[in-house]
Amino acid sequence: MDRTREQLLDEFLVASARTGDRKAFDLLARRWGRKLLAHAWRLTGDVDLAREAAQDGWIEIVRGLGRLRDERAFPAWAYQIVSRRCARRIGRLRRDRDLAAAASAEPVFDTAPPDAADPGDEARLRTALAALPEAQRAAVGLFYLEDMSVAEAAIALNVPAGTVKTRLMHARRTLRAVLEGDV
């Protein structure tokens, strides 16, 4: 598989950061901060909770980067760390209060390309994505929005690849029904 310039740059930054290059780590954090935050939001459905989980994830990434031996594994490894941090935060939240009340107000991030054809379709798609169960929303986000393979998404979500495929299948079915007006 040919790696893109972006992937090669990330691999270089990981290798440099692992050796203590602070500038490389800062650039790596800038490149991956929003992606990991978006992933945390997809898992939690709450902006504040996502920020806390992503921040906790970065602390763990900083501490564990020296033990990461394959620079190409950084994306899946980082997503997996943030996924675990989200699960821990949600577990604590469930013990403290009802999760449904905490996730009632889901923000909508503006991810539309500037030349979007029909704003109505975009709004329906956003609404349909937000209505997906957390596990399906996370799988869709990693696979379609972050261009991860099924195997990488499985590592990031800490589930078997077959589970990711099943979540994607159910999510596509639901989204198709909503967008075609069957729901």
Side-chain angles (χ1 to χ4, degrees), residues 110-123 126:
D110 186 17
T111 59
D115 58 343
D118 184 3
D121 284 346
E122 178 188 335
R126 249 195 229 136

Side-chain angles (χ1 to χ4, degrees), residues 77 105 117 169 174:
W77 177 73
M169 177 193 67
T174 300

Side-chain angles (χ1 to χ4, degrees), residues 14-15 17-20 57-71 73-74 77 81 84-85 88:
V14 169
R18 209 173 49 212
T19 64
W58 275 108
I59 291 169
E60 190 173 334
I61 289 168
V62 168
R63 290 181 179 155
L65 194 58
R67 294 186 302 273
L68 181 65
R69 294 293 165 225
D70 182 2
E71 293 85 11
F74 177 80
W77 177 73
I81 288 171
R84 279 195 316 261
R85 291 300 178 162
R88 289 179 191 156

Side-chain angles (χ1 to χ4, degrees), residues 8-171:
L8 292 171
L9 177 59
D10 287 335
E11 291 170 22
F12 172 76
L13 292 174
V14 169
S16 297
R18 209 173 49 212
T19 64
D21 184 342
R22 187 161 180 80
K23 286 184 181 180
F25 184 80
D26 289 345
L27 186 55
L28 186 67
R30 274 185 290 194
R31 289 176 55 82
W32 282 90
R34 295 190 85 203
K35 291 179 181 183
L36 294 176
L37 179 60
H39 176 65
W41 174 78
R42 284 189 296 267
L43 289 174
T44 63
D46 181 89
V47 173
D48 293 330
L49 195 61
R51 284 187 182 128
E52 293 169 3
Q55 184 175 357
D56 289 349
W58 275 108
I59 291 169
E60 190 173 334
I61 289 168
V62 168
R63 290 181 179 155
L65 194 58
R67 294 186 302 273
L68 181 65
R69 294 293 165 225
D70 182 2
E71 293 85 11
R72 290 178 293 179
F74 177 80
W77 177 73
Y79 280 119
Q80 182 181 42
I81 288 171
V82 172
S83 295
R84 279 195 316 261
R85 291 300 178 162
C86 288
R88 289 179 191 156
R89 289 250 172 218
I90 289 171
R92 283 187 213 130
L93 186 61
R94 283 184 177 154
R95 285 188 297 269
D96 295 342
R97 64 182 182 215
D98 181 25
L99 180 62
S104 64
E106 245 181 49
V108 176
F109 290 103
D110 186 17
T111 59
D115 58 343
D118 184 3
D121 284 346
E122 178 188 335
R124 286 186 12 224
L125 178 60
R126 249 195 229 136
T127 302
L129 281 170
L132 288 174
E134 293 169 1
Q136 290 178 16
R137 193 169 56 228
V140 166
L142 290 176
F143 187 76
Y144 290 107
L145 302 177
E146 302 300 336
D147 285 331
M148 293 185 96
S149 68
V150 170
E152 291 170 325
I155 292 169
L157 296 172
N158 203 24
V159 297
T163 301
V164 173
K165 289 178 183 179
T166 301
R167 289 176 182 174
L168 289 171
M169 177 193 67
H170 289 297

